[in-house]
Amino acid sequence: MATPEGYVAVKRYDEIPEGGIVPFEVDDDERILVKLEGNVYALSGICTHEYAELAEGDLEDHVIYCPLHGSGFDLETGRVTSLPATQPLPVYDVQIVDGVVYVSREPRQG
Amino acid sequence: MADPRPCVILGGGVAAYGAAEALRAAGYDGPVTLVSAEPVVPYDRPALSKAFLQGQKTAEEILLKPPEHYQRLGIELRLGQRATAVDLDRRELVLEPGERLPFAVLLIATGAEPVRLRLPGFDLPGVRYLRSLADAQALREDLSRAERVLVVGCGFIGAEVAASARMLGKQVTVVDPLPVPLAGPLGEEVGGILAEVHRRHGIELRLGQKVAELRGHRSVEEAVLESGERIACDLVVVGVGVRPAVALFQGSGLQIENGILVDEHCATGVPGVYAAGDVANWWHPAIGRRLRVEHFDNAAQQGAAAARAIAGDPQPYAPVPYFWSDQFDLNLQYAGYPGPWDQVVLRGDKAAPSVTAFYLRQGVVEAVVTINRPRELRPGRRLVEAQARVDPAVLADPSTDLRALAQPARQAE
Ligand SMILES: Cc1cc2nc3c(=O)[nH]c(=O)nc-3n(C[C@H](O)[C@H](O)[C@H](O)COP(=O)(O)OP(=O)(O)OC[C@H]3O[C@@H](n4cnc5c(N)ncnc54)[C@H](O)[C@@H]3O)c2cc1C
Ligand code: FES
């Protein structure tokens, strides 16, 4: 199966646990995959406040929380739901083809 | 619908920022002016004692949003302008140097100010307090030349400044009257863990001691403790707490008692006048008592809650308060209400440290603290939110899955 244009293959869908946060890298760029209620989300792996790896963070109500100071980001849009971060988290498009999770190289715009 | 009432946000901290964002998000389209004594747009104040002091971030990098952002929101900025008088009947503020600024709605977000020590020698050059960016810039400058730093007071700010100074390679001594630092807000066990981390990093702690005076010729040279011990120092940082910035409102008709008294919608007794953040002492409806919280997250959220009330959508402000502190490589997070509590239950490894502490009152989880254990914060917070009763032995058992414990607590809400 060919990789969709502008995407990279990351993991098999089945390998991601429900409620799990899985770190991965694209061109040295740290990102995370999150599986919630069967849906897969791809976001930047580094908090926009200071330096923290969101893979160490926590999920609650479709929000990913930074492990250090409680910044929250909406899984779907990357919008800040709680400070101290004020910059949204870049989010990436996800496609699942033949059981493989593909993530866009470039962040979704706006 | 156009709201013609001009709204003034008084203050330039994160409560003001939260309010500015939320006013517009809630559809308030009247004129909004943000007045701050500081010459800069709202910034990440917690960074002052940490990333900024350590030189990891510049002033520009700690701004919550750039100045243009306020333009986009249609919010007029009056920076570097202190309000010196207020008349709630005529509904106007007097700004330095004498301009009158009328308002229909006023949100007081003046925050807090450091308590000044009036002991001999504390007026010498080389004695610093830390609240504003200007304070931090001056302190950073002094630190670059200092060798021996004395920190007076081991509250959060004192402990963080001490850690940052040490990370910059300074000799650091901390004096605090309590035998265990931060025992008030965190209890002796957790305070003891922090003290140990400071010692391990080479900070000299003088606990259970007070400074009697500072001495020096042109600037500070030594501190004399009440015990008689003398400590050489070329820079002193005082962190002995803050008090709400209410001076402007004394005699204005507002009720003032450990801050400005407001209800669960951030409203004072005077129609159209609200308060939020460090300056506000509010009625917390979920726990049935008044709180005044001196932390970032509360200020941000309470500013936003006040804004929603102003915009015509009041909702009771009933958060589980949250804060963090970073000292060296230690990250502490607290979710819960301030004490008193009657039992503290710990799990984890105190030496590492990697610890979660639960604070109980009559069996109810009132607060949770995580030290380098972030994954237990939110499940712990849920227990607090649900005012759950959990067997202390279960909490102390590191094999207990807090998430599973928090789940039924949540469903029962
Ligand atoms: C060094 C430091 C480190 C901190 N670290 C942490 C941390 O790690 N975690 C945490 O949760 N909290 C931390 N805090 C606390 C947190 O910063 C405060 O709780 C928060 O800033 C409160 O926001 P506020 O908007 O209510 O008030 P403030 O931030 O105090 O802002 C008040 C604003 O009002 C202005 N003002 C006051 N009076 C007038 C007047 N008459 N006219 C015009 N303007 C006026 C002031 O100049 C200021 O701009 C820290 C605080 C400090 C000082
Ligand atoms: S680094 Fe993520 S909230 Fe501060």
Side-chain angles (χ1 to χ4, degrees):
Chain A
M1 181 62 217
T3 301
E5 170 131 7
Y7 282 69
V8 286
V10 180
K11 233 181 170 48
R12 295 202 57 81
Y13 179 84
D14 294 341
E15 287 170 357
I16 311 169
E18 169 64 25
I21 310 172
V22 178
F24 68 101
E25 283 187 15
V26 177
D27 311 327
D28 287 339
D29 200 24
E30 293 185 52
R31 300 189 191 172
I32 50 170
L33 282 181
V34 173
K35 192 197 255 183
L36 200 63
E37 290 155 13
N39 297 317
V40 179
Y41 305 89
L43 304 100
S44 163
I46 304 298
C47 184
T48 63
H49 176 231
E50 288 174 354
Y51 186 85
E53 293 181 8
L54 294 174
E56 305 294 317
D58 205 359
L59 292 172
E60 203 177 86
D61 298 335
H62 285 84
V63 171
I64 179 149
Y65 287 93
C66 174
L68 288 186
H69 315 126
S71 288
F73 303 95
D74 183 286
L75 281 184
E76 189 92 45
T77 61
R79 182 179 63 86
V80 173
T81 62
S82 56
L83 300 177
T86 53
Q87 293 303 316
L89 192 68
V91 292
Y92 299 86
D93 287 317
V94 173
Q95 285 193 29
I96 301 169
V97 185
D98 290 342
V100 175
V101 176
Y102 295 90
V103 172
S104 65
R105 277 188 182 279
E106 299 301 324
R108 196 187 301 156
Q109 296 303 320
Chain B
M1 197 185 70
D3 197 324
R5 301 169 301 156
C7 174
V8 169
I9 303 173
L10 183 63
V14 70
Y17 167 78
E21 292 276 0
L23 267 180
R24 291 309 188 209
Y28 188 93
D29 52 11
V32 177
T33 307
L34 186 155
V35 178
S36 175
E38 294 187 80
V40 49
V41 290
Y43 54 87
D44 185 353
R45 197 174 303 282
L48 296 181
S49 50
K50 313 177 193 77
F52 181 81
L53 205 56
Q54 292 157 22
Q56 292 168 9
K57 281 198 169 187
T58 64
E60 207 177 331
E61 285 167 342
I62 65 170
L63 300 182
L64 294 175
K65 290 280 184 177
E68 310 83 76
H69 181 72
Y70 299 86
Q71 218 166 16
R72 281 196 290 274
L73 290 176
I75 290 177
E76 188 190 345
L77 296 175
R78 299 289 194 97
L79 302 179
Q81 286 191 279
R82 177 174 290 278
T84 52
V86 62
D87 186 333
L88 295 182
D89 294 327
R90 296 176 56 176
R91 299 190 91 80
E92 60 184 25
L93 287 167
V94 179
L95 306 185
E96 244 166 17
E99 184 198 349
R100 287 171 184 275
L101 181 68
F103 59 81
V105 180
L106 176 65
L107 173 56
I108 302 165
T110 49
E113 301 159 336
V115 172
R116 309 267 156 183
L117 278 184
R118 308 275 175 221
L119 294 169
F122 276 78
D123 50 358
L124 280 167
V127 179
R128 294 282 178 196
Y129 292 81
L130 178 55
R131 182 74 192 180
S132 65
L133 176 60
D135 294 340
Q137 282 163 329
L139 178 57
R140 198 158 88 165
E141 182 74 22
D142 284 0
L143 259 180
S144 69
R145 287 187 295 260
E147 277 165 26
R148 295 163 207 261
V149 181
L150 178 78
V151 177
V152 180
C154 197
F156 288 107
I157 292 175
E160 290 174 359
V161 168
S164 294
R166 187 71 194 138
M167 288 161 85
L168 292 169
K170 311 301 171 183
Q171 272 190 42
V172 181
T173 306
V174 182
V175 184
D176 193 285
L178 292 177
V180 178
L182 289 161
L186 299 177
E188 298 208 339
E189 265 190 293
V190 171
I193 295 172
L194 298 184
E196 191 46 42
V197 166
H198 279 248
R199 274 193 207 99
R200 210 188 294 160
H201 280 90
I203 289 183
E204 293 279 332
L205 296 177
R206 294 286 183 278
L207 300 175
Q209 310 232 28
K210 285 186 178 171
V211 178
E213 66 171 303
L214 300 176
R215 292 181 186 158
H217 292 96
R218 260 183 300 263
S219 73
V220 67
E221 290 165 19
E222 67 171 8
V224 183
L225 306 189
E226 284 183 356
S227 64
E229 186 189 352
R230 294 160 59 173
I231 299 172
C233 51
D234 46 11
L235 176 60
V236 172
V237 187
V238 186
V240 292
V242 296
R243 53 169 83 92
V246 295
L248 183 61
F249 296 96
Q250 299 288 0
S252 68
L254 294 180
Q255 269 184 290
I256 299 175
E257 194 188 306
N258 178 28
I260 293 176
L261 295 190
V262 293
D263 65 13
E264 65 197 75
H265 300 124
C266 313
T268 67
V270 176
V273 179
Y274 299 79
D278 283 14
V279 76
N281 182 349
W282 93 100
W283 178 257
H284 192 305
I287 57 167
R289 57 176 165 136
R290 288 198 162 276
L291 289 184
R292 191 176 65 78
V293 171
E294 294 168 354
H295 300 293
F296 183 93
D297 182 63
N298 177 65
Q301 293 208 53
Q302 199 170 25
R308 284 190 289 271
I310 290 168
D313 180 23
Q315 284 153 24
Y317 181 63
V320 174
Y322 165 81
F323 69 84
W324 75 90
S325 176
D326 294 318
Q327 300 161 30
F328 300 108
D329 44 8
L330 178 148
N331 169 256
L332 177 145
Q333 298 182 67
Y334 184 111
Y337 308 107
W341 46 77
D342 47 41
Q343 193 177 6
V344 182
V345 179
L346 261 66
R347 58 197 250 155
D349 174 1
K350 277 169 74 167
S354 163
V355 168
T356 298
F358 303 89
Y359 298 76
L360 284 74
R361 182 163 55 219
Q362 291 169 359
V364 175
V365 185
E366 289 279 315
V368 60
V369 163
T370 60
I371 294 179
N372 297 342
R373 258 167 113 89
R375 282 264 169 88
E376 297 197 331
L377 195 265
R378 300 206 67 84
R381 182 190 169 284
R382 265 182 252 163
L383 295 176
V384 175
E385 193 174 40
Q387 303 187 3
R389 283 174 189 281
V390 190
D391 180 354
V394 171
L395 290 174
D397 180 352
S399 70
T400 302
D401 179 358
L402 286 185
R403 238 161 259 274
L405 207 58
Q407 213 51 50
R410 195 147 215 235
Q411 278 154 11
E413 269 170 43

